[in-house]
Amino acid sequence: MTDTDATTLQPKKKGLTRRQKRRVSQGAQYAVFVAAVIAFAVTADWGRLQNQFAQADIARQMFPDVITLALKNTVLYTLSGFVVGLVLGMVIALMRLSSVGPYRWLAGVYIEIFRGLPALLIFIFVGVAVPLAFPGTEIPGGTYGKVALALGLVSAAYMAETIRAGIQAVPKGQMEAARSLGFSPAKAMVSIIVPQAFRIILPPLTNELVLLFKDSSLVLFLGVTLEERELSKFGRDLASTTANSTPILVAGLCYLLVTIPLSFVVRRMESKAQEAIR
């Protein structure tokens, strides 16, 4: 038997399959995560953390105002800003799809500017620049109107692009069918195209609502009264008064009471949308 024959008869060494490599990689990641958690649990000073962030007596002082006042205002600010942003975003989206050049140009400039500016600057613009530019004028609704306008300006740029994508995702045959039935372009858009587009974009719009809920914390830069405070301002004021961070932690948990269920709704809607496509 030659050396070549002997080499041929030797069993070939098999490497790890792709599935085995993936399992090894996942196992290593889990091991690193568990090691990090154990290291944090062992090295953290839980006594100091509890003393600074988990004082039960301070947390009890926050109720019921943290719910009946702060959380209520946060929800009102968010919903009002969402409505303004949705209406303005729809107008901008239709302008972006318009056959009139200046409309498309204005919509594009708006989207690029307000998507690029930080939300904080928009709040300062609404609270400071608008009164200076138009002396003697008041935004309807006081602080609630200012917050609705600021949040609406921020969210409209994102919603406009979402709505535009949803409208373009509707098959062109829908418009052609509506026109063949005698619908005008405007009526076909409102009655046929837009409802179908909203079914497509409902998950990202709900996700935008979650983002607005967190952005409502910027209302403190508008200068609010005690009765107009939202969760972030409410927690910061009590943290300064008590020299303890427990109010901030409680305020954060109140945010999670709203954002976690909304995030779950978004995931459910996205999964249903994917199932419908399949």
Side-chain angles (χ1 to χ4, degrees), residues 1 5 14 22 42 49-50 69 74 84 99 108 117 135-136 139 150 152 157 179 203 205 213 219 224 236 249 262:
M1 182 180 295
D5 295 336
K14 293 183 178 180
R22 185 169 60 249
V42 171
L49 286 174
Q50 181 179 2
L69 177 66
T74 302
V84 172
S99 58
L117 289 176
I139 297 177
R179 293 301 305 277
L205 285 182
F213 188 76
V219 69
V224 295
R236 284 167 59 92
L249 176 63
L262 280 177

Side-chain angles (χ1 to χ4, degrees), residues 172-189 192:
K172 294 182 179 180
Q174 295 293 319
M175 175 63 77
E176 296 172 355
R179 293 301 305 277
S180 66
L181 294 175
F183 284 77
S184 65
K187 187 176 181 180
M189 178 66 70
I192 306 298

Side-chain angles (χ1 to χ4, degrees), residues 47-129:
R48 295 182 64 182
L49 286 174
Q50 181 179 2
N51 183 62
Q52 186 65 25
F53 290 96
Q55 290 293 319
D57 55 338
I58 296 177
R60 282 193 294 267
Q61 295 175 14
M62 300 178 65
F63 291 89
D65 289 347
V66 69
I67 301 296
T68 59
L69 177 66
L71 182 58
K72 181 198 73 173
N73 284 336
T74 302
V75 172
L76 289 177
Y77 292 148
T78 304
L79 292 179
S80 59
F82 183 80
V83 171
V84 172
L86 184 61
V87 174
L88 184 57
M90 173 62 73
V91 174
I92 295 172
L94 294 177
M95 290 175 62
R96 192 73 184 270
L97 295 172
S98 174
S99 58
V100 182
Y103 287 167
R104 295 197 305 272
W105 182 82
L106 288 174
V109 170
Y110 177 91
I111 290 172
E112 293 303 323
I113 290 177
F114 283 90
R115 282 200 309 181
L117 289 176
L120 173 59
L121 294 183
I122 306 302
F123 272 81
I124 295 176
F125 170 79
V126 171
V128 178

